[in-house]
Amino acid sequence: MTAAPMTGQATSAPTLCAQCAVRHSAICSALTADELAGLNRISQRKTLKRGQIYVLEGDAAREYANVVAGVGKLTRGAPDGRTQVVGLLFASDFVGTYRSSEDEGTEPYTIEAATDLDICSFPRRKFALLAQEHPGLEAKILARTVDELQLARDWMVLLGRKTAPERVATFLLYVADKMENQGCGSIKGSFDLPISRADIADHIGLTIETVSRQMTEFRKSGAIEVAGARHIVGYDRQALEDMAGF
């Protein structure tokens, strides 16, 4: 998101920011037009193709970012080479573990583009200085951090207590809400699963055979309608909520 040269005070949001699909839902929504111009001057838009790596676990953490469009996949590696899908990033999500200091740290996860992925990135040190000047921005990041903590706790319940049907139903509802609420679904009630069934199985602690079997059972019961391996044509929300143990 490269900014044009600025003269005087900004009276409206920079053009690219004003046209951004997540302008009013990402962390930058906490900024005024003048403040947004400052963020715009240090930002850069990047596009990754599906399967491309954005950052690698253990590398020096040099950037924060907002997801503008698409879905990212977070994975964590084990010494023996195994990997675990630990999360997904959707449009308007903040990328990076925020530090109030200028210390960059290291990347805790590998982030891969699960679909074609557009991001708006910011150098960590410059972003930290900017956030210190604008308490509203830090407050927005803190709120996102609290949401992520709650999601992590919910996932602990899913992995520790929920049955296979409950896990798959919970995952489907989670993705549906994320993709539809943020404009990723082309039609209401219709969306594409951003990751493969093997990755879904890894993420929710099941085997791929169990995930496939549950998807088949959901389809037979009328809880979901599918076309191909990933496209959900429609779904019965109440049925999925009942199956998810809501």
Side-chain angles (χ1 to χ4, degrees), residues 5-57:
M6 302 291 294
T7 58
Q9 285 197 338
T11 56
S12 60
T15 301
L16 287 178
C17 293
Q19 296 172 348
C20 178
V22 299
R23 163 70 179 93
H24 298 290
S25 55
I27 52 102
C28 47
S29 64
L31 300 176
T32 66
D34 286 346
E35 293 166 348
L36 191 62
L39 181 63
N40 182 260
R41 283 192 287 270
I42 66 169
S43 65
Q44 181 181 8
R45 282 289 289 269
K46 297 180 179 180
T47 299
L48 291 83
K49 294 297 184 181
R50 178 179 173 183
Q52 187 174 350
I53 301 297
Y54 172 49
V55 295
L56 284 171
E57 177 186 351

mmCIF file of all heavy atoms in Angstrom, residues 5-57:
data_model
loop_
_atom_site.group_PDB
_atom_site.id
_atom_site.type_symbol
_atom_site.label_atom_id
_atom_site.label_comp_id
_atom_site.label_asym_id
_atom_site.label_seq_id
_atom_site.Cartn_x
_atom_site.Cartn_y
_atom_site.Cartn_z
ATOM 1 N N PRO A 5 3.115 11.013 -2.248
ATOM 2 C CA PRO A 5 3.696 12.040 -1.395
ATOM 3 C C PRO A 5 2.602 12.874 -0.741
ATOM 4 O O PRO A 5 1.607 13.232 -1.375
ATOM 5 C CB PRO A 5 4.538 12.881 -2.368
ATOM 6 C CG PRO A 5 4.838 11.946 -3.497
ATOM 7 C CD PRO A 5 3.641 11.078 -3.620
ATOM 8 N N MET A 6 2.781 13.218 0.541
ATOM 9 C CA MET A 6 1.780 13.961 1.292
ATOM 10 C C MET A 6 2.241 15.405 1.473
ATOM 11 O O MET A 6 3.405 15.668 1.713
ATOM 12 C CB MET A 6 1.554 13.314 2.664
ATOM 13 C CG MET A 6 1.105 11.863 2.601
ATOM 14 S SD MET A 6 -0.566 11.709 1.942
ATOM 15 C CE MET A 6 -1.498 12.512 3.251
ATOM 16 N N THR A 7 1.320 16.354 1.346
ATOM 17 C CA THR A 7 1.616 17.758 1.621
ATOM 18 C C THR A 7 0.572 18.275 2.587
ATOM 19 O O THR A 7 -0.630 18.081 2.389
ATOM 20 C CB THR A 7 1.569 18.583 0.325
ATOM 21 O OG1 THR A 7 0.287 18.446 -0.275
ATOM 22 C CG2 THR A 7 2.646 18.123 -0.642
ATOM 23 N N GLY A 8 1.010 18.916 3.660
ATOM 24 C CA GLY A 8 0.079 19.418 4.648
ATOM 25 C C GLY A 8 -0.563 18.282 5.419
ATOM 26 O O GLY A 8 -0.079 17.167 5.437
ATOM 27 N N GLN A 9 -1.711 18.562 6.042
ATOM 28 C CA GLN A 9 -2.409 17.558 6.822
ATOM 29 C C GLN A 9 -3.397 16.815 5.945
ATOM 30 O O GLN A 9 -4.046 17.383 5.079
ATOM 31 C CB GLN A 9 -3.160 18.208 7.989
ATOM 32 C CG GLN A 9 -2.240 18.632 9.117
ATOM 33 C CD GLN A 9 -3.031 18.875 10.390
ATOM 34 O OE1 GLN A 9 -4.211 19.114 10.353
ATOM 35 N NE2 GLN A 9 -2.344 18.807 11.508
ATOM 36 N N ALA A 10 -3.525 15.502 6.215
ATOM 37 C CA ALA A 10 -4.491 14.718 5.464
ATOM 38 C C ALA A 10 -5.888 15.006 5.978
ATOM 39 O O ALA A 10 -6.116 15.123 7.169
ATOM 40 C CB ALA A 10 -4.178 13.221 5.617
ATOM 41 N N THR A 11 -6.842 15.161 5.069
ATOM 42 C CA THR A 11 -8.221 15.411 5.466
ATOM 43 C C THR A 11 -9.121 14.220 5.153
ATOM 44 O O THR A 11 -10.268 14.203 5.544
ATOM 45 C CB THR A 11 -8.770 16.654 4.744
ATOM 46 O OG1 THR A 11 -8.637 16.477 3.326
ATOM 47 C CG2 THR A 11 -7.989 17.893 5.163
ATOM 48 N N SER A 12 -8.612 13.266 4.423
ATOM 49 C CA SER A 12 -9.359 12.050 4.129
ATOM 50 C C SER A 12 -8.379 10.898 4.065
ATOM 51 O O SER A 12 -7.172 11.094 3.934
ATOM 52 C CB SER A 12 -10.117 12.181 2.800
ATOM 53 O OG SER A 12 -9.210 12.406 1.732
ATOM 54 N N ALA A 13 -8.913 9.679 4.168
ATOM 55 C CA ALA A 13 -8.049 8.507 4.144
ATOM 56 C C ALA A 13 -7.333 8.401 2.808
ATOM 57 O O ALA A 13 -7.881 8.787 1.771
ATOM 58 C CB ALA A 13 -8.881 7.248 4.380
ATOM 59 N N PRO A 14 -6.077 7.917 2.803
ATOM 60 C CA PRO A 14 -5.385 7.692 1.539
ATOM 61 C C PRO A 14 -6.243 6.847 0.607
ATOM 62 O O PRO A 14 -7.004 5.985 1.052
ATOM 63 C CB PRO A 14 -4.115 6.946 1.970
ATOM 64 C CG PRO A 14 -3.892 7.374 3.386
ATOM 65 C CD PRO A 14 -5.260 7.537 3.961
ATOM 66 N N THR A 15 -6.127 7.093 -0.683
ATOM 67 C CA THR A 15 -7.018 6.474 -1.659
ATOM 68 C C THR A 15 -7.055 4.956 -1.547
ATOM 69 O O THR A 15 -8.138 4.352 -1.501
ATOM 70 C CB THR A 15 -6.596 6.869 -3.086
ATOM 71 O OG1 THR A 15 -6.634 8.289 -3.204
ATOM 72 C CG2 THR A 15 -7.531 6.254 -4.113
ATOM 73 N N LEU A 16 -5.899 4.308 -1.504
ATOM 74 C CA LEU A 16 -5.878 2.851 -1.438
ATOM 75 C C LEU A 16 -6.503 2.348 -0.144
ATOM 76 O O LEU A 16 -7.186 1.323 -0.124
ATOM 77 C CB LEU A 16 -4.451 2.329 -1.577
ATOM 78 C CG LEU A 16 -3.840 2.426 -2.973
ATOM 79 C CD1 LEU A 16 -2.405 1.907 -2.959
ATOM 80 C CD2 LEU A 16 -4.664 1.655 -3.988
ATOM 81 N N CYS A 17 -6.288 3.076 0.959
ATOM 82 C CA CYS A 17 -6.897 2.679 2.229
ATOM 83 C C CYS A 17 -8.408 2.844 2.176
ATOM 84 O O CYS A 17 -9.165 2.012 2.683
ATOM 85 C CB CYS A 17 -6.324 3.491 3.376
ATOM 86 S SG CYS A 17 -4.576 3.150 3.721
ATOM 87 N N ALA A 18 -8.873 3.937 1.580
ATOM 88 C CA ALA A 18 -10.303 4.184 1.490
ATOM 89 C C ALA A 18 -10.998 3.105 0.671
ATOM 90 O O ALA A 18 -12.163 2.768 0.916
ATOM 91 C CB ALA A 18 -10.556 5.561 0.873
ATOM 92 N N GLN A 19 -10.287 2.547 -0.309
ATOM 93 C CA GLN A 19 -10.856 1.512 -1.165
ATOM 94 C C GLN A 19 -10.650 0.100 -0.609
ATOM 95 O O GLN A 19 -11.175 -0.859 -1.152
ATOM 96 C CB GLN A 19 -10.223 1.601 -2.558
ATOM 97 C CG GLN A 19 -10.519 2.904 -3.287
ATOM 98 C CD GLN A 19 -9.738 3.043 -4.577
ATOM 99 O OE1 GLN A 19 -8.805 2.286 -4.847
ATOM 100 N NE2 GLN A 19 -10.116 4.015 -5.409
ATOM 101 N N CYS A 20 -9.908 -0.018 0.489
ATOM 102 C CA CYS A 20 -9.569 -1.333 1.041
ATOM 103 C C CYS A 20 -10.811 -2.001 1.623
ATOM 104 O O CYS A 20 -11.577 -1.387 2.375
ATOM 105 C CB CYS A 20 -8.502 -1.166 2.125
ATOM 106 S SG CYS A 20 -8.037 -2.722 2.923
ATOM 107 N N ALA A 21 -10.986 -3.279 1.315
ATOM 108 C CA ALA A 21 -12.176 -4.020 1.749
ATOM 109 C C ALA A 21 -12.248 -4.195 3.257
ATOM 110 O O ALA A 21 -13.323 -4.403 3.810
ATOM 111 C CB ALA A 21 -12.212 -5.384 1.057
ATOM 112 N N VAL A 22 -11.105 -4.134 3.945
ATOM 113 C CA VAL A 22 -11.099 -4.350 5.401
ATOM 114 C C VAL A 22 -10.791 -3.070 6.170
ATOM 115 O O VAL A 22 -10.467 -3.117 7.352
ATOM 116 C CB VAL A 22 -10.090 -5.469 5.787
ATOM 117 C CG1 VAL A 22 -10.484 -6.780 5.139
ATOM 118 C CG2 VAL A 22 -8.659 -5.090 5.408
ATOM 119 N N ARG A 23 -10.928 -1.926 5.503
ATOM 120 C CA ARG A 23 -10.607 -0.643 6.135
ATOM 121 C C ARG A 23 -11.342 -0.446 7.459
ATOM 122 O O ARG A 23 -10.790 0.090 8.410
ATOM 123 C CB ARG A 23 -10.953 0.494 5.154
ATOM 124 C CG ARG A 23 -11.056 1.886 5.779
ATOM 125 C CD ARG A 23 -9.706 2.410 6.220
ATOM 126 N NE ARG A 23 -9.836 3.750 6.804
ATOM 127 C CZ ARG A 23 -9.990 4.008 8.096
ATOM 128 N NH1 ARG A 23 -10.046 3.006 8.961
ATOM 129 N NH2 ARG A 23 -10.079 5.244 8.538
ATOM 130 N N HIS A 24 -12.597 -0.895 7.546
ATOM 131 C CA HIS A 24 -13.402 -0.623 8.729
ATOM 132 C C HIS A 24 -13.502 -1.821 9.674
ATOM 133 O O HIS A 24 -14.266 -1.777 10.640
ATOM 134 C CB HIS A 24 -14.797 -0.161 8.306
ATOM 135 C CG HIS A 24 -14.794 1.111 7.526
ATOM 136 N ND1 HIS A 24 -14.480 2.324 8.093
ATOM 137 C CD2 HIS A 24 -15.023 1.357 6.201
ATOM 138 C CE1 HIS A 24 -14.530 3.277 7.169
ATOM 139 N NE2 HIS A 24 -14.857 2.714 6.013
ATOM 140 N N SER A 25 -12.733 -2.876 9.405
ATOM 141 C CA SER A 25 -12.767 -4.041 10.299
ATOM 142 C C SER A 25 -11.385 -4.456 10.781
ATOM 143 O O SER A 25 -11.268 -5.162 11.778
ATOM 144 C CB SER A 25 -13.445 -5.232 9.593
ATOM 145 O OG SER A 25 -12.812 -5.522 8.362
ATOM 146 N N ALA A 26 -10.344 -4.026 10.113
ATOM 147 C CA ALA A 26 -8.980 -4.355 10.527
ATOM 148 C C ALA A 26 -8.525 -3.407 11.638
ATOM 149 O O ALA A 26 -9.243 -2.484 12.027
ATOM 150 C CB ALA A 26 -8.030 -4.273 9.334
ATOM 151 N N ILE A 27 -7.324 -3.632 12.158
ATOM 152 C CA ILE A 27 -6.837 -2.811 13.277
ATOM 153 C C ILE A 27 -6.712 -1.336 12.900
ATOM 154 O O ILE A 27 -6.820 -0.458 13.755
ATOM 155 C CB ILE A 27 -5.496 -3.350 13.828
ATOM 156 C CG1 ILE A 27 -4.472 -3.534 12.713
ATOM 157 C CG2 ILE A 27 -5.719 -4.643 14.577
ATOM 158 C CD1 ILE A 27 -3.463 -2.456 12.649
ATOM 159 N N CYS A 28 -6.508 -1.041 11.612
ATOM 160 C CA CYS A 28 -6.368 0.353 11.198
ATOM 161 C C CYS A 28 -7.685 1.126 11.292
ATOM 162 O O CYS A 28 -7.698 2.350 11.129
ATOM 163 C CB CYS A 28 -5.788 0.438 9.793
ATOM 164 S SG CYS A 28 -6.574 -0.651 8.604
ATOM 165 N N SER A 29 -8.793 0.441 11.556
ATOM 166 C CA SER A 29 -10.072 1.139 11.724
ATOM 167 C C SER A 29 -10.057 2.041 12.955
ATOM 168 O O SER A 29 -10.903 2.921 13.100
ATOM 169 C CB SER A 29 -11.218 0.129 11.840
ATOM 170 O OG SER A 29 -11.080 -0.669 12.995
ATOM 171 N N ALA A 30 -9.082 1.822 13.840
ATOM 172 C CA ALA A 30 -8.975 2.651 15.046
ATOM 173 C C ALA A 30 -8.343 4.005 14.755
ATOM 174 O O ALA A 30 -8.320 4.874 15.629
ATOM 175 C CB ALA A 30 -8.145 1.916 16.104
ATOM 176 N N LEU A 31 -7.834 4.214 13.553
ATOM 177 C CA LEU A 31 -7.096 5.431 13.232
ATOM 178 C C LEU A 31 -7.962 6.461 12.520
ATOM 179 O O LEU A 31 -8.852 6.116 11.736
ATOM 180 C CB LEU A 31 -5.891 5.089 12.338
ATOM 181 C CG LEU A 31 -4.864 4.120 12.918
ATOM 182 C CD1 LEU A 31 -3.789 3.816 11.880
ATOM 183 C CD2 LEU A 31 -4.238 4.682 14.186
ATOM 184 N N THR A 32 -7.684 7.720 12.777
ATOM 185 C CA THR A 32 -8.311 8.804 12.022
ATOM 186 C C THR A 32 -7.659 8.860 10.646
ATOM 187 O O THR A 32 -6.652 8.198 10.381
ATOM 188 C CB THR A 32 -8.115 10.144 12.735
ATOM 189 O OG1 THR A 32 -6.704 10.468 12.722
ATOM 190 C CG2 THR A 32 -8.611 10.092 14.167
ATOM 191 N N ALA A 33 -8.214 9.685 9.778
ATOM 192 C CA ALA A 33 -7.654 9.814 8.434
ATOM 193 C C ALA A 33 -6.208 10.289 8.478
ATOM 194 O O ALA A 33 -5.346 9.788 7.745
ATOM 195 C CB ALA A 33 -8.508 10.775 7.604
ATOM 196 N N ASP A 34 -5.902 11.263 9.348
ATOM 197 C CA ASP A 34 -4.534 11.764 9.461
ATOM 198 C C ASP A 34 -3.597 10.674 9.965
ATOM 199 O O ASP A 34 -2.475 10.515 9.471
ATOM 200 C CB ASP A 34 -4.478 12.964 10.407
ATOM 201 C CG ASP A 34 -5.048 14.224 9.770
ATOM 202 O OD1 ASP A 34 -5.229 14.228 8.538
ATOM 203 O OD2 ASP A 34 -5.306 15.193 10.510
ATOM 204 N N GLU A 35 -4.053 9.928 10.971
ATOM 205 C CA GLU A 35 -3.231 8.846 11.531
ATOM 206 C C GLU A 35 -3.048 7.731 10.517
ATOM 207 O O GLU A 35 -1.972 7.119 10.423
ATOM 208 C CB GLU A 35 -3.884 8.313 12.802
ATOM 209 C CG GLU A 35 -3.900 9.327 13.940
ATOM 210 C CD GLU A 35 -4.829 8.938 15.067
ATOM 211 O OE1 GLU A 35 -5.640 7.998 14.883
ATOM 212 O OE2 GLU A 35 -4.754 9.565 16.141
ATOM 213 N N LEU A 36 -4.099 7.463 9.753
ATOM 214 C CA LEU A 36 -4.028 6.419 8.721
ATOM 215 C C LEU A 36 -2.994 6.772 7.659
ATOM 216 O O LEU A 36 -2.316 5.888 7.125
ATOM 217 C CB LEU A 36 -5.400 6.235 8.081
ATOM 218 C CG LEU A 36 -5.581 5.013 7.181
ATOM 219 C CD1 LEU A 36 -5.391 3.730 7.983
ATOM 220 C CD2 LEU A 36 -6.957 5.033 6.531
ATOM 221 N N ALA A 37 -2.850 8.059 7.380
ATOM 222 C CA ALA A 37 -1.843 8.486 6.406
ATOM 223 C C ALA A 37 -0.450 8.118 6.886
ATOM 224 O O ALA A 37 0.420 7.723 6.095
ATOM 225 C CB ALA A 37 -1.947 9.992 6.171
ATOM 226 N N GLY A 38 -0.202 8.230 8.213
ATOM 227 C CA GLY A 38 1.097 7.835 8.757
ATOM 228 C C GLY A 38 1.342 6.347 8.611
ATOM 229 O O GLY A 38 2.455 5.918 8.273
ATOM 230 N N LEU A 39 0.318 5.532 8.864
ATOM 231 C CA LEU A 39 0.455 4.092 8.679
ATOM 232 C C LEU A 39 0.650 3.755 7.209
ATOM 233 O O LEU A 39 1.449 2.884 6.859
ATOM 234 C CB LEU A 39 -0.791 3.389 9.219
ATOM 235 C CG LEU A 39 -0.811 1.855 9.125
ATOM 236 C CD1 LEU A 39 0.313 1.253 9.963
ATOM 237 C CD2 LEU A 39 -2.158 1.305 9.577
ATOM 238 N N ASN A 40 -0.055 4.464 6.365
ATOM 239 C CA ASN A 40 0.042 4.231 4.928
ATOM 240 C C ASN A 40 1.454 4.440 4.405
ATOM 241 O O ASN A 40 1.911 3.716 3.510
ATOM 242 C CB ASN A 40 -0.943 5.167 4.216
ATOM 243 C CG ASN A 40 -0.962 4.966 2.717
ATOM 244 O OD1 ASN A 40 -0.343 5.733 1.976
ATOM 245 N ND2 ASN A 40 -1.658 3.953 2.266
ATOM 246 N N ARG A 41 2.167 5.405 5.008
ATOM 247 C CA ARG A 41 3.516 5.713 4.528
ATOM 248 C C ARG A 41 4.523 4.607 4.824
ATOM 249 O O ARG A 41 5.565 4.536 4.179
ATOM 250 C CB ARG A 41 3.986 7.039 5.130
ATOM 251 C CG ARG A 41 3.366 8.254 4.468
ATOM 252 C CD ARG A 41 4.071 9.532 4.891
ATOM 253 N NE ARG A 41 3.762 9.907 6.260
ATOM 254 C CZ ARG A 41 2.738 10.694 6.604
ATOM 255 N NH1 ARG A 41 1.924 11.171 5.685
ATOM 256 N NH2 ARG A 41 2.529 10.995 7.868
ATOM 257 N N ILE A 42 4.223 3.737 5.795
ATOM 258 C CA ILE A 42 5.180 2.667 6.114
ATOM 259 C C ILE A 42 4.684 1.298 5.652
ATOM 260 O O ILE A 42 5.309 0.278 5.921
ATOM 261 C CB ILE A 42 5.468 2.606 7.632
ATOM 262 C CG1 ILE A 42 4.219 2.185 8.428
ATOM 263 C CG2 ILE A 42 6.019 3.933 8.136
ATOM 264 C CD1 ILE A 42 4.499 1.848 9.887
ATOM 265 N N SER A 43 3.551 1.262 4.947
ATOM 266 C CA SER A 43 2.938 -0.016 4.584
ATOM 267 C C SER A 43 3.284 -0.440 3.160
ATOM 268 O O SER A 43 3.708 0.367 2.336
ATOM 269 C CB SER A 43 1.423 0.060 4.744
ATOM 270 O OG SER A 43 0.882 0.990 3.824
ATOM 271 N N GLN A 44 3.086 -1.715 2.901
ATOM 272 C CA GLN A 44 3.360 -2.273 1.571
ATOM 273 C C GLN A 44 2.362 -3.391 1.290
ATOM 274 O O GLN A 44 2.141 -4.263 2.131
ATOM 275 C CB GLN A 44 4.789 -2.822 1.505
ATOM 276 C CG GLN A 44 5.165 -3.396 0.153
ATOM 277 C CD GLN A 44 6.587 -3.947 0.146
ATOM 278 O OE1 GLN A 44 7.229 -4.036 1.193
ATOM 279 N NE2 GLN A 44 7.078 -4.337 -1.019
ATOM 280 N N ARG A 45 1.729 -3.368 0.125
ATOM 281 C CA ARG A 45 0.810 -4.433 -0.260
ATOM 282 C C ARG A 45 1.593 -5.580 -0.893
ATOM 283 O O ARG A 45 2.503 -5.366 -1.692
ATOM 284 C CB ARG A 45 -0.226 -3.917 -1.250
ATOM 285 C CG ARG A 45 -1.328 -3.119 -0.618
ATOM 286 C CD ARG A 45 -2.280 -3.958 0.214
ATOM 287 N NE ARG A 45 -3.118 -4.798 -0.588
ATOM 288 C CZ ARG A 45 -4.320 -4.429 -1.045
ATOM 289 N NH1 ARG A 45 -4.799 -3.228 -0.750
ATOM 290 N NH2 ARG A 45 -5.044 -5.249 -1.770
ATOM 291 N N LYS A 46 1.234 -6.798 -0.517
ATOM 292 C CA LYS A 46 1.881 -7.990 -1.057
ATOM 293 C C LYS A 46 0.815 -9.008 -1.445
ATOM 294 O O LYS A 46 -0.217 -9.131 -0.773
ATOM 295 C CB LYS A 46 2.826 -8.617 -0.018
ATOM 296 C CG LYS A 46 3.981 -7.719 0.391
ATOM 297 C CD LYS A 46 4.882 -8.401 1.410
ATOM 298 C CE LYS A 46 6.046 -7.511 1.798
ATOM 299 N NZ LYS A 46 6.941 -8.153 2.796
ATOM 300 N N THR A 47 1.077 -9.741 -2.524
ATOM 301 C CA THR A 47 0.175 -10.800 -2.976
ATOM 302 C C THR A 47 0.935 -12.105 -3.031
ATOM 303 O O THR A 47 2.026 -12.183 -3.606
ATOM 304 C CB THR A 47 -0.403 -10.473 -4.367
ATOM 305 O OG1 THR A 47 -1.160 -9.256 -4.294
ATOM 306 C CG2 THR A 47 -1.312 -11.589 -4.843
ATOM 307 N N LEU A 48 0.375 -13.135 -2.394
ATOM 308 C CA LEU A 48 0.976 -14.462 -2.394
ATOM 309 C C LEU A 48 0.037 -15.432 -3.104
ATOM 310 O O LEU A 48 -1.180 -15.384 -2.910
ATOM 311 C CB LEU A 48 1.225 -14.963 -0.968
ATOM 312 C CG LEU A 48 2.311 -14.274 -0.153
ATOM 313 C CD1 LEU A 48 1.767 -12.999 0.488
ATOM 314 C CD2 LEU A 48 2.841 -15.198 0.937
ATOM 315 N N LYS A 49 0.592 -16.302 -3.918
ATOM 316 C CA LYS A 49 -0.190 -17.339 -4.568
ATOM 317 C C LYS A 49 -0.428 -18.485 -3.597
ATOM 318 O O LYS A 49 0.351 -18.702 -2.660
ATOM 319 C CB LYS A 49 0.528 -17.851 -5.816
ATOM 320 C CG LYS A 49 0.643 -16.815 -6.925
ATOM 321 C CD LYS A 49 -0.724 -16.393 -7.436
ATOM 322 C CE LYS A 49 -0.606 -15.425 -8.613
ATOM 323 N NZ LYS A 49 -1.955 -14.992 -9.081
ATOM 324 N N ARG A 50 -1.497 -19.225 -3.821
ATOM 325 C CA ARG A 50 -1.804 -20.371 -2.974
ATOM 326 C C ARG A 50 -0.596 -21.302 -2.860
ATOM 327 O O ARG A 50 0.018 -21.666 -3.870
ATOM 328 C CB ARG A 50 -2.992 -21.135 -3.572
ATOM 329 C CG ARG A 50 -3.393 -22.374 -2.812
ATOM 330 C CD ARG A 50 -4.581 -23.013 -3.491
ATOM 331 N NE ARG A 50 -4.900 -24.303 -2.894
ATOM 332 C CZ ARG A 50 -5.865 -25.107 -3.322
ATOM 333 N NH1 ARG A 50 -6.615 -24.740 -4.366
ATOM 334 N NH2 ARG A 50 -6.085 -26.247 -2.724
ATOM 335 N N GLY A 51 -0.240 -21.654 -1.637
ATOM 336 C CA GLY A 51 0.898 -22.525 -1.387
ATOM 337 C C GLY A 51 2.198 -21.792 -1.127
ATOM 338 O O GLY A 51 3.162 -22.393 -0.654
ATOM 339 N N GLN A 52 2.232 -20.490 -1.378
ATOM 340 C CA GLN A 52 3.450 -19.717 -1.160
ATOM 341 C C GLN A 52 3.621 -19.417 0.325
ATOM 342 O O GLN A 52 2.656 -19.151 1.038
ATOM 343 C CB GLN A 52 3.388 -18.419 -1.960
ATOM 344 C CG GLN A 52 4.688 -17.605 -1.953
ATOM 345 C CD GLN A 52 4.615 -16.399 -2.873
ATOM 346 O OE1 GLN A 52 3.672 -16.255 -3.662
ATOM 347 N NE2 GLN A 52 5.597 -15.516 -2.757
ATOM 348 N N ILE A 53 4.867 -19.471 0.794
ATOM 349 C CA ILE A 53 5.183 -19.201 2.194
ATOM 350 C C ILE A 53 5.388 -17.703 2.397
ATOM 351 O O ILE A 53 6.150 -17.068 1.669
ATOM 352 C CB ILE A 53 6.443 -19.960 2.640
ATOM 353 C CG1 ILE A 53 6.252 -21.479 2.472
ATOM 354 C CG2 ILE A 53 6.791 -19.622 4.090
ATOM 355 C CD1 ILE A 53 5.144 -22.059 3.335
ATOM 356 N N TYR A 54 4.711 -17.153 3.408
ATOM 357 C CA TYR A 54 4.899 -15.746 3.764
ATOM 358 C C TYR A 54 6.057 -15.601 4.745
ATOM 359 O O TYR A 54 6.974 -14.807 4.528
ATOM 360 C CB TYR A 54 3.602 -15.184 4.342
ATOM 361 C CG TYR A 54 3.737 -13.794 4.922
ATOM 362 C CD1 TYR A 54 4.357 -12.768 4.201
ATOM 363 C CD2 TYR A 54 3.249 -13.503 6.194
ATOM 364 C CE1 TYR A 54 4.478 -11.500 4.733
ATOM 365 C CE2 TYR A 54 3.356 -12.237 6.729
ATOM 366 C CZ TYR A 54 3.979 -11.236 6.003
ATOM 367 O OH TYR A 54 4.103 -9.976 6.536
ATOM 368 N N VAL A 55 6.020 -16.348 5.853
ATOM 369 C CA VAL A 55 7.129 -16.351 6.814
ATOM 370 C C VAL A 55 7.368 -17.782 7.280
ATOM 371 O O VAL A 55 6.460 -18.623 7.250
ATOM 372 C CB VAL A 55 6.846 -15.447 8.046
ATOM 373 C CG1 VAL A 55 6.740 -13.994 7.637
ATOM 374 C CG2 VAL A 55 5.601 -15.900 8.788
ATOM 375 N N LEU A 56 8.576 -18.060 7.730
ATOM 376 C CA LEU A 56 8.935 -19.375 8.242
ATOM 377 C C LEU A 56 9.126 -19.330 9.758
ATOM 378 O O LEU A 56 9.702 -18.376 10.291
ATOM 379 C CB LEU A 56 10.225 -19.876 7.588
ATOM 380 C CG LEU A 56 10.123 -20.401 6.156
ATOM 381 C CD1 LEU A 56 11.522 -20.636 5.590
ATOM 382 C CD2 LEU A 56 9.304 -21.685 6.097
ATOM 383 N N GLU A 57 8.663 -20.345 10.422
ATOM 384 C CA GLU A 57 8.853 -20.474 11.867
ATOM 385 C C GLU A 57 10.338 -20.375 12.211
ATOM 386 O O GLU A 57 11.181 -21.016 11.574
ATOM 387 C CB GLU A 57 8.294 -21.821 12.327
ATOM 388 C CG GLU A 57 8.494 -22.125 13.796
ATOM 389 C CD GLU A 57 8.050 -23.532 14.164
ATOM 390 O OE1 GLU A 57 7.423 -24.216 13.323
ATOM 391 O OE2 GLU A 57 8.327 -23.956 15.300
#
